[in-house]
Amino acid sequence: MVKNKTKDIQIGAISYTKLSIYQQCPFQYKCYLDKSIYHRYHRDTPPLIFGSLIHGVLCSFYKDLLVKERNHQQMRRLFKEKFLADQIKHLQIFKNKQTINQYVAKAKQQFSNFLDSRFVKTKPYLVPEKNQRMSIGNLELLAKIDRIDKNKQGLEIIDYKTGKLYEPGIDPLQLNFYQLVISQKYPLLPVVRKTYFYLDSGKEISISTKASDNKKTLVLVKKIVKQIDADQEFKPKINSKCRWCDFRTICPLQRPDTTNAPF
Ligand code: SF4
């Protein structure tokens, strides 16, 4: 476990989410890690909940359905079941029937794209329900992997995306980080392919996969962790995702009057 002594912020297990948030904006990272700040300002949004519902359906697709049941109708049923399982919360987040209908239509389209894809024709090697946890030296790594397939050459790591494809915004670190974790877990099975599958369009993007990736990824992960550990200020950094940031109202760059700021 790594600890930032100056701010008493426990970095804890290293995930891709933590690394990418820190790279994006150190102030956002600090807010994300501070539980009281996080719970005060974090808001679930329709795209966030939608993503979680779809990921839940794709997990249940293999865990809970017989092969003959794996069809569009059953996927819609699972989606409805998962929505109703936390109905009050979901109704509050989606707010009105029109928004719910929009997301139901989106879900149906994504299920069709999934059923048309190559992924439905193969049996996954692993659909992890829990985060994959591995240690390298004093680093504890945590990876939330959607799916791993296996072929004669080795493993393919697949990450389902429910948002729109924006190619310049694709961050290879996520899949490279997962490769690092999975290579520790299955040292005899090489990772030969890493793919983002965009359910909205049915498009898949596989990123370059080489045996030497892990070495480079580990160097990068250690570098970011070192920066976090040495950071005394956690300065805000304007970036393309500011408009979706939970902490806009307390961000010094968005709100010049910081007299009520929690830090
Ligand atoms: S609004 Fe932008 S600059 Fe401010 S904390 Fe959020 S991500 Fe950082």
Side-chain angles (χ1 to χ4, degrees):
M1 185 180 291
V2 183
K3 188 178 174 185
N4 185 306
K5 300 165 196 75
T6 54
K7 296 285 174 189
D8 204 28
I9 291 174
Q10 293 279 348
I11 299 172
I14 312 296
S15 64
Y16 162 71
T17 304
K18 287 181 186 173
L19 298 176
S20 72
I21 292 178
Y22 182 78
Q23 283 186 307
Q24 205 167 275
C25 170
F27 184 83
Q28 186 186 24
Y29 170 87
K30 187 165 99 163
C31 296
Y32 176 79
L33 247 69
D34 184 317
K35 283 193 171 47
S36 66
I37 300 293
Y38 177 81
H39 290 301
R40 194 161 152 203
Y41 292 97
H42 170 72
R43 295 286 172 267
D44 282 328
T45 59
L48 212 61
I49 297 299
F50 175 75
S52 153
L53 290 170
I54 296 283
H55 279 79
V57 171
L58 293 178
C59 187
S60 296
F61 185 84
Y62 293 104
K63 300 266 179 214
D64 304 327
L65 297 181
L66 299 170
V67 173
K68 64 178 180 187
E69 294 174 329
R70 291 176 188 166
N71 57 42
H72 203 268
Q73 186 186 1
Q74 292 295 331
M75 293 182 92
R76 295 195 319 265
R77 179 184 65 75
L78 287 169
F79 185 81
K80 187 175 175 183
E81 249 176 46
K82 288 176 193 303
F83 187 95
L84 295 178
D86 206 348
Q87 190 177 7
I88 295 175
K89 176 182 155 189
H90 292 152
L91 288 174
Q92 278 169 356
I93 292 163
F94 286 88
K95 288 195 173 67
N96 56 53
K97 205 168 172 186
Q98 193 190 359
T99 310
I100 293 173
N101 288 342
Q102 277 170 7
Y103 277 95
V104 169
K106 205 173 160 62
K108 286 179 182 172
Q109 182 59 56
Q110 298 206 354
F111 296 151
S112 295
N113 290 339
F114 178 72
L115 291 170
D116 286 343
S117 74
R118 71 177 166 99
F119 301 110
V120 88
K121 295 178 187 82
T122 51
K123 186 172 174 277
Y125 181 62
L126 200 67
V127 181
E129 284 178 284
K130 290 184 188 159
N131 291 339
Q132 305 295 302
R133 199 178 270 268
M134 291 306 299
S135 294
I136 301 181
N138 66 340
L139 295 180
E140 198 184 352
L141 308 180
L142 203 64
K144 197 174 180 199
I145 298 171
D146 291 336
R147 168 178 178 148
I148 301 169
D149 284 6
K150 185 175 167 221
N151 59 31
K152 283 183 190 148
Q153 287 75 42
L155 302 177
E156 177 178 7
I157 299 172
I158 296 135
D159 189 69
Y160 300 130
K161 296 285 183 203
T162 54
K164 291 234 179 290
L165 167 61
Y166 175 61
E167 289 198 38
I170 291 173
D171 180 6
L173 178 59
Q174 183 178 11
L175 286 177
N176 287 338
F177 184 83
Y178 293 172
Q179 180 183 359
L180 182 63
V181 173
I182 289 305
S183 303
Q184 294 291 311
K185 195 172 170 104
Y186 301 103
L188 300 179
L189 292 170
V191 175
V192 291
R193 197 170 178 185
K194 294 172 289 196
T195 303
Y196 293 113
F197 179 52
Y198 287 82
L199 291 147
D200 209 52
S201 58
K203 188 166 178 186
E204 52 176 284
I205 294 188
S206 295
I207 62 166
S208 152
T209 304
K210 295 192 283 298
S212 56
D213 288 348
N214 285 337
K215 208 173 167 186
K216 286 182 194 158
T217 307
L218 187 57
V219 168
L220 179 59
V221 169
K222 283 183 174 172
K223 186 178 159 199
I224 302 169
V225 170
K226 205 172 164 187
Q227 282 170 358
I228 295 173
D229 207 34
D231 200 332
Q232 303 276 333
E233 300 175 279
F234 293 93
K235 284 185 178 167
K237 189 164 99 185
I238 295 287
N239 63 83
S240 60
K241 295 183 181 161
C242 281
R243 75 176 119 148
W244 297 292
C245 174
D246 279 334
F247 313 107
R248 277 179 73 88
T249 54
I250 53 170
C251 169
L253 297 183
Q254 304 284 346
R255 182 175 167 274
D257 174 12
T258 54
T259 38
N260 294 322
F263 300 119

